[in-house]
Amino acid sequence: MKDEAKSRLHMSNPWHLLATGFGSGLSPFMPGTVGSLAAIPFWLLLIQLPWQLYSLLVMFSICIGVYLCHRTAKDMRVHDHGSIVWDEFVGMWITLMALPVNSWQWVVAGFVVFRILDIWKPWPIRWFDRNVHGGTGIMIDDIVAGVLSAGIIYLIGHYWPL
C-alpha cells in the first residue's frame, strides 16, 4: 500500500530534503534508525571543527529543524511522520558530543543508547513527545533523548571506562 503522506514529499524542496535526512528517512524499514545511522558521516565532518563551532552548528540545526520539521509535517499532513528524521540527526549529534574518545566502539555505544531512549521514550522524553506539538514537538523528544544519551555515555566513559 502506498504511503500517501510520502507522496506529498518533494526532494527538490530543500526543507523536505533536510527533514528526511537527505532521503534516509524514506527507508521502508526502521527510518528513525536509518536516519540515526545517516547522521554519523555528517558527525565525522562536524568533529573536524573546534567544539565551539560544533556546538553552534548543533544549536543552529535545532533552530532550523523546528521550522523544517514543522513545514514538512504540514506539507505531508501528518504530525511527526516516520520519514522526518532531522530530529534523529540532531539527537545523534548531541549524543556523540559526549564520547570520551572518538572511536567506532564509542560511536556504536552512543548510537545504541540514543536509539534505545528514542524508541523506548522513558520519562521525561515521553512527556515532551506527548505534550509538545508542531516542529518543536517533533524535535524536542530527540533533543532530550540526545542529552540523556550524552549524559549516560559521559558517565560510562569517565566513571566506568570500558
Side-chain angles (χ1 to χ4, degrees):
M1 181 172 168
K2 185 176 176 185
D3 184 342
E4 219 172 291
K6 276 188 185 179
S7 71
R8 295 186 190 102
L9 286 171
H10 301 284
M11 291 299 108
S12 60
N13 179 326
W15 303 124
H16 294 183
L17 183 66
L18 288 174
T20 62
F22 303 95
S24 62
L26 298 176
S27 169
F29 182 70
M30 297 171 43
T33 299
V34 173
S36 297
L37 283 171
I40 294 171
F42 294 95
W43 169 77
L44 289 169
L45 295 173
L46 286 171
I47 61 170
Q48 305 306 311
L49 302 171
W51 71 267
Q52 298 94 332
L53 187 52
Y54 178 143
S55 299
L56 281 173
L57 284 172
V58 169
M59 287 185 271
F60 177 74
S61 297
I62 291 168
C63 295
I64 199 77
V66 168
Y67 176 78
L68 68 92
C69 290
H70 171 76
R71 180 62 196 238
T72 302
K74 186 176 174 182
D75 291 346
M76 294 179 81
R77 300 182 202 146
V78 176
H79 175 70
D80 205 1
H81 189 276
S83 64
I84 298 174
V85 295
W86 185 256
D87 49 333
E88 272 81 10
F89 270 56
V90 172
M92 278 296 297
W93 296 339
I94 292 168
T95 299
L96 298 176
M97 290 174 96
L99 299 184
V101 292
N102 292 334
S103 70
W104 69 267
Q105 295 94 336
W106 281 107
V107 173
V108 169
F111 171 81
V112 169
V113 170
F114 174 72
R115 289 309 301 150
I116 288 171
L117 292 180
D118 189 33
I119 292 167
W120 178 39
K121 296 192 188 314
W123 185 90
I125 300 165
R126 184 179 310 268
W127 186 90
F128 285 103
D129 186 54
R130 290 182 177 168
N131 294 290
V132 183
H133 306 288
T136 303
I138 294 171
M139 292 292 297
I140 193 70
D141 64 306
D142 290 87
I143 293 166
V144 174
V147 169
L148 291 175
S149 298
I152 291 167
I153 291 298
Y154 179 86
L155 289 172
I156 292 170
H158 289 86
Y159 297 106
W160 188 34
L162 301 176

